[in-house]
Amino acid sequence: MNRDNKTRDINDLKLEVIPRQEHGISRKDISENALKVLYRLNKAGYEAYLVGGGVRDLLLNKQPKDFDIATNATPEDVRKLFRNCRLVGRRFRLAHILFGRDVIEVATFRGHHGGEKGAKFASQSNDGMLLRDNVYGTIDEDAERRDFTVNALYYNIDDFSVRDYAGGMEDLENGVIRLIGDPETRYREDPVRMLRAVRFAAKLDMRINEATAAPIPGLAHLLRDIPAARLFEESLKLLQSGDGLATYQMLRDYNLFAPLFPILEEHFTEDRNSKCEQMLELVLRSTDERVANDQRINPAFMYAAMLWYPLETRAEEIAFESGLSYYDAFMVAANDILDEQVKSIAIPRRFTAMIRDIWQLQLRLSRRSGNRAYKLLEQPKFRAAFDFLEMRGQVEGGQLKELAKWWDSFQKAERDARHNMVQVLNKASNNKKVRRRKSKPRRKKPQPKQES
Ligand code: ATP
Ligand code: MG
């Protein structure tokens, strides 16, 4: 039988228990806080397992991003055990145990949503999307509700064994992302699973098995029904977790990128080499590098870069159609583009404000005479704006590249050298003014309110 083409049929789930001495997970690799929660649940008589990415990544010798716990205690039971506990989520009720900034997520085993219990505690939209999923069940049922086989591995704190319900161990070894159950049903229940398939494949350098991959391009449009706030969270996991470039490329292969960024679609080309696409590659590559070096990353910078070329195009269109000055058209276009983007991905306000700053500073960076350059250096978003100018220079070359070089030298220069750099510009701009005056008698014109 060629199992590799198929997804894992629910009826084929068969528990395999791997004892402590036969797997590589050791307690010293699990965070102290996660262990505390596991032990306390266990002591109180509940079943308690580490599950999901925590187990998967440890088995792959990778550092897990977070530790998720599954238990037969209900969220209310969990709250009684932990003072530092908060219940969250409507669609999917969970307990969060808070240890300062570290949050350990505790989920109660999910059951089937059919039957009487299902009717009361689960709800589904007409097209099969799960709106609520709060039917509790056993660990066996919980395993069926997990998305991929490699995510249905449970580390048991009671005897330190790993419970493998869906052949996840074998798939981990072979590098296969395989969905549990009927793919179309599972994607319709929760279209975000398509994004997760790609995310894990890119991050873990695995391949998506045939039956899991096949329906994705045809169902990608379902992402348009996902709340924009959830897609914002998801977009960060996809693009800012250290494998953003690979993930982006794979998302495009599966038609999953356009529903997230509809505005970018018309800037895309067959060879993926338009200015917009070059910028995407640059910003994602630099984000990946920063993550690898433990440097800070800011979503506003990434979004500002991703949406820049659509913004420029829109600003030109508006300036042409309305006769507004380019500066005013640019500001109108900035609002337009952000309003459109937040419909699919709800970028929070604190970031959209920063995106606007980075954009607006691009216009100001070319005006450096007088004391403007000094003032710009003091802008809180100067550094981000300069980094972005450099990327634009890399994409476009020419004057932009020169401008970025000028700013680079200006920042590094001593006081006198800076003064000289500005003097050179002042002279040049005075010469221009004189020439202009000679060629055309100056007419009195009301001064438009704009930076110059
Ligand atoms: P990481 O934390 O590294 O992003 P993860 O696999 O732990 O990856 P989480 O979002 O933390 O992902 O979810 C924990 C586990 O919950 C998953 O491994 C999976 O078993 C289950 N899960 C999460 N989201 C879904 C979903 N949309 N459908 C089915 N199961 C899910
Ligand atoms: Mg996780």
Side-chain angles (χ1 to χ4, degrees), residues 41-99:
L41 284 165
N42 186 257
K43 263 208 187 133
Y46 298 109
E47 293 173 55
Y49 298 88
L50 197 65
V51 69
V55 182
R56 181 194 66 218
D57 294 353
L58 285 182
L59 288 168
L60 290 170
N61 275 324
K62 287 183 185 255
Q63 174 70 36
K65 203 180 76 218
D66 49 32
F67 290 96
D68 304 296
I69 289 173
T71 177
N72 61 348
T74 65
E76 284 70 26
D77 295 334
V78 177
R79 183 158 59 182
K80 282 182 201 142
L81 278 180
F82 296 91
R83 274 185 37 223
N84 47 337
C85 174
R86 203 176 54 176
L87 300 189
V88 298
R90 241 175 72 81
R91 195 176 63 89
F92 202 88
R93 206 158 166 70
L94 295 167
H96 276 177
I97 321 282
L98 313 172
F99 298 89

Side-chain angles (χ1 to χ4, degrees), residues 177-360:
I177 300 295
R178 184 194 313 273
L179 203 56
I180 299 173
D182 172 59
E184 180 150 351
T185 311
R186 299 306 310 276
Y187 290 143
R188 284 191 185 278
E189 280 173 358
D190 183 5
V192 169
R193 288 173 184 149
M194 296 186 276
L195 298 176
R196 290 172 58 86
V198 166
R199 174 155 72 87
F200 295 132
K203 160 177 155 170
L204 306 170
D205 202 12
M206 291 183 153
R207 67 198 160 79
I208 308 178
N209 104 302
E210 218 174 285
T212 302
I216 295 180
L219 297 175
H221 65 274
L222 294 174
L223 285 173
R224 296 187 196 262
D225 301 329
I226 301 296
R230 186 171 175 211
L231 287 185
F232 173 72
E233 295 301 326
E234 211 54 44
S235 75
L236 298 186
K237 291 189 198 168
L238 288 162
L239 302 175
Q240 305 228 287
S241 299
D243 305 284
L245 182 57
T247 307
Y248 151 73
Q249 275 154 348
M250 208 184 277
L251 287 173
R252 287 208 45 194
D253 296 341
Y254 285 103
N255 295 354
L256 289 167
F257 198 74
L260 302 179
F261 293 92
I263 310 171
L264 295 186
E265 213 179 353
E266 62 182 277
H267 296 264
F268 284 166
T269 52
E270 197 73 35
D271 63 0
R272 300 193 184 178
N273 204 31
S274 67
K275 283 197 291 186
C276 181
E277 287 159 309
Q278 288 179 42
M279 179 57 84
L280 276 167
E281 282 204 31
L282 275 182
V283 76
L284 293 173
R285 186 171 293 128
S286 101
T287 305
D288 289 349
E289 278 168 18
R290 292 182 69 93
V291 174
N293 297 329
D294 272 332
Q295 285 170 289
R296 280 178 43 174
I297 41 168
N298 188 331
F301 185 84
M302 180 186 75
Y303 280 110
M306 292 178 82
L307 300 170
W308 171 258
Y309 287 106
L311 166 68
E312 266 199 337
T313 309
R314 185 71 58 90
E316 279 155 23
E317 284 165 6
I318 293 175
F320 181 76
E321 284 162 13
S322 67
L324 285 175
S325 71
Y326 184 73
Y327 181 86
D328 289 343
F330 182 90
M331 296 319 285
V332 174
N335 287 336
D336 274 13
I337 294 284
L338 287 173
D339 285 350
E340 268 175 64
Q341 183 58 57
V342 298
K343 282 184 200 152
S344 45
I345 294 184
I347 307 169
R349 258 173 211 282
R350 63 179 188 284
F351 294 133
T352 52
M354 219 179 283
I355 295 171
R356 253 184 268 265
D357 285 349
I358 294 172
W359 283 346
Q360 197 180 3

Side-chain angles (χ1 to χ4, degrees), residues 57 120 123 165 284 328 387 407:
D57 294 353
K120 195 163 162 204
S123 89
Y165 280 88
L284 293 173
D328 289 343
D387 287 345
W407 275 107

